[in-house]
Amino acid sequence: AQSVTQLDSHVSVSEGTPVLLRCNYSSSYSPSLFWYVQHPNKGLQLLLKYTSAATLVKGINGFEAEFKKSETSFHLTKPSAHMSDAAEYFCVVSRNNNDMRFGAGTRLTVKP
Amino acid sequence: NAGVTQTPKFRILKIGQSMTLQCTQDMNHNYMYWYRQDPGMGLKLIYYSVGAGITDKGEVPNGYNVSRSTTEDFPLRLELAAPSQTSVYFCASSYHGSNTGELFFGEGSRLTVL
């Protein structure tokens, strides 16, 4: 079985400060890991993905995530938050094409 | 670029009614998926399809049916609607499949069953 746990349901940062959204995963196999973002009343959009290549993955809009097998973590970071980053973020683990498991989501608020 | 289009965006049903959520994609993707999203929870897979004529159950298929007669269309049928089916439904498609490829999502269909 595989699952993901997003450790924070809500994160609030000030504009221009770093963002850290935490995700731990559980998987019996070498997983594929993803971060998706959902803006209000919109569908989800892929931020970045890890599929067993480089452990540091760069995504769109300045986000990146590091795969740490020893810690079973895949935390999402961004050096400097922008107001447009305010959204819901989902960590996802996948073993095959019909077994994607979504975390419960982390709502990111960015204060001016 | 239309991408993945879902209709309707909003619908209110009475208990026991039936309806179909429509989903169409114009990217010639073989893989298509239906998810539901409940408050405070991640998305859960209802049904998926790996190509025209092929469908299979996901994590939460009870109370739903799907068909895939063409590559473009993947409608989701709700029979005998129940309050537990109140949710936001997302259709998604992928060229390589969700394990390695990007999922492209529609904007969602918000369904309320009263």
Side-chain angles (χ1 to χ4, degrees):
Chain A
Q2 53 183 5
S3 64
V4 289
T5 302
Q6 292 184 242
L7 299 174
D8 307 290
S9 59
H10 183 212
V11 170
S12 181
V13 301
S14 296
E15 190 174 22
T17 64
V19 176
L20 170 63
L21 306 182
R22 299 181 295 165
C23 172
N24 287 350
Y25 71 92
S26 172
S27 178
S28 303
Y29 301 83
S30 295
S32 295
L33 292 160
F34 306 82
W35 277 98
Y36 278 83
V37 61
Q38 183 181 30
H39 291 279
N41 300 312
K42 296 293 185 183
L44 282 71
Q45 179 186 15
L46 180 67
L47 271 181
L48 50 81
K49 64 180 179 181
Y50 166 79
T51 54
S52 75
T55 56
L56 183 62
V57 182
K58 294 188 182 299
I60 62 172
N61 299 333
F63 284 94
E64 63 181 36
E66 186 172 6
F67 173 70
K68 291 187 176 180
K69 187 175 181 178
S70 61
E71 299 176 11
T72 60
S73 69
F74 190 57
H75 301 334
L76 182 70
T77 61
K78 183 173 181 178
S80 177
H82 191 274
M83 295 297 291
S84 61
D85 295 328
E88 188 94 15
Y89 291 80
F90 293 93
C91 183
V92 185
V93 62
S94 176
R95 183 169 69 89
N96 56 46
N97 287 326
N98 67 329
D99 194 11
M100 282 185 96
R101 299 301 172 110
F102 286 74
T106 298
R107 183 164 61 92
L108 177 65
T109 300
V110 182
K111 298 175 290 185
Chain B
N1 295 332
V4 178
T5 304
Q6 292 182 232
T7 57
K9 292 192 185 307
F10 303 94
R11 181 73 185 268
I12 297 175
L13 282 181
K14 295 182 179 179
I15 294 173
Q17 287 186 319
S18 300
M19 74 160 297
T20 299
L21 299 177
Q22 302 290 345
C23 175
T24 187
Q25 53 92 7
D26 62 358
M27 297 173 282
N28 201 33
H29 287 169
N30 284 324
Y31 295 85
M32 294 190 74
Y33 305 84
W34 273 107
Y35 289 91
R36 60 177 287 171
Q37 183 181 30
D38 299 307
M41 301 179 69
L43 278 66
K44 293 190 182 297
L45 182 63
I46 304 171
Y47 271 94
Y48 69 100
S49 170
V50 300
I54 306 170
T55 63
D56 209 344
K57 296 177 181 179
E59 189 180 357
V60 289
N62 291 344
Y64 307 94
N65 276 300
V66 294
S67 59
R68 185 92 183 271
S69 57
T70 67
T71 298
E72 295 78 19
D73 300 307
F74 190 42
L76 177 71
R77 178 81 177 164
L78 281 73
E79 305 281 3
L80 300 175
S84 61
Q85 293 178 304
T86 294
S87 188
V88 181
Y89 292 84
F90 287 98
C91 179
S93 72
S94 176
Y95 183 76
H96 293 288
S98 62
N99 193 42
T100 57
E102 178 176 2
L103 287 182
F104 292 83
F105 284 83
E107 294 195 343
S109 298
R110 185 175 296 274
L111 176 67
T112 302
V113 182
L114 301 174

